[in-house]
Amino acid sequence: MIVAIVGVVGTLASAVITQVLAQRAEAQRSEREKLVRLAELQASEDQRKIDQLRSCYVQLNAQDRRYRDAMLAYAYALRSGSVGAEAEAEEVNVARRAQRDTRAEAQLVGSDAVLRIESRVNAQLTVAYRRLMNAADQPSSEARQTELNQVIKLLDAIIAQQGHVQALMRLEVGATQALPDWYNPEVGPPEHYQASA
């Protein structure tokens, strides 16, 4: 009788233990699948944010360059006395508005580090714009030519600042793993342009 009871209890216990182990294995499998799904969702969200940031940075970089190039073309047109200067002036206005709109978007999604050094580029573009418009309002003279030459130098100097912004942007979007040796987060506008602004 005892042997029969032990046999029946063993058989029943075996079934219960098997079921408990199966449920535990299923719960672990379900938990692993849940973790994988969460990781995939997080990776997808991270990629979406990187893509958004990349798109924003591409636009910001392109619009800063377009604005700079438009001002440079206008300065050269004024300096040479070109009859097409009005078209260049209109392109400056179009590029300025596009750059302003792009900066507004960047201020919502860009990192503080990129915005900090890009704001230096923007400050120099603003100084160049003011000086260019001032020169455009002057009658053709030696003083005007000197002012236009200074504007051209100022616009040329912005290229180095833009390089620093681009280097940081590339790092943030994963296009590179490290900043270049020449990168300097404190790069700023040349002092003689700041003083004369």
Side-chain angles (χ1 to χ4, degrees), residues 86-137:
E86 291 82 26
E88 301 295 346
E90 181 57 31
E91 177 57 26
V92 168
N93 289 328
V94 169
R96 184 172 186 238
R97 284 190 298 273
Q99 189 257 7
R100 184 188 61 222
D101 293 345
T102 302
R103 285 195 85 242
E105 179 186 353
Q107 289 169 340
L108 297 177
V109 297
S111 73
D112 290 342
V114 165
L115 293 175
R116 188 170 34 259
I117 63 173
E118 193 281 333
S119 70
R120 294 178 189 145
V121 170
N122 187 64
Q124 288 304 100
L125 289 169
T126 301
V127 168
Y129 177 79
R130 273 193 246 123
R131 292 182 72 175
L132 180 59
M133 294 302 111
N134 183 46
D137 289 340

Side-chain angles (χ1 to χ4, degrees), residues 41-59:
L41 285 172
Q42 185 62 48
S44 176
E45 179 63 14
D46 291 347
Q47 187 60 49
R48 186 193 65 75
K49 286 179 181 177
I50 288 291
D51 291 344
Q52 179 185 24
L53 190 62
R54 180 179 290 120
S55 175
C56 175
Y57 284 172
V58 165
Q59 288 300 312

Side-chain angles (χ1 to χ4, degrees), residues 68-92 132-133 135-136 138 140 144-145 148-149 151-152 155:
R68 179 201 162 273
D69 292 347
M71 283 194 285
L72 196 58
Y74 186 37
Y76 277 117
L78 287 172
R79 194 172 78 170
S80 70
S82 172
V83 294
E86 291 82 26
E88 301 295 346
E90 181 57 31
E91 177 57 26
V92 168
L132 180 59
M133 294 302 111
Q138 296 176 11
S140 187
R144 181 185 190 190
Q145 293 299 324
L148 289 170
N149 288 336
V151 168
I152 290 168
L155 291 169

Side-chain angles (χ1 to χ4, degrees), residues 5-23:
I5 291 173
V6 169
V8 169
V9 169
T11 302
L12 291 175
S14 171
V16 169
I17 290 172
T18 301
Q19 185 175 359
V20 167
L21 291 175
Q23 286 175 342

Side-chain angles (χ1 to χ4, degrees), residues 154-171:
L154 176 58
L155 291 169
D156 286 343
I158 291 172
I159 292 173
Q161 292 172 287
Q162 288 176 320
H164 290 273
V165 176
Q166 292 163 7
L168 189 54
M169 287 175 174
R170 288 176 47 80
L171 180 69

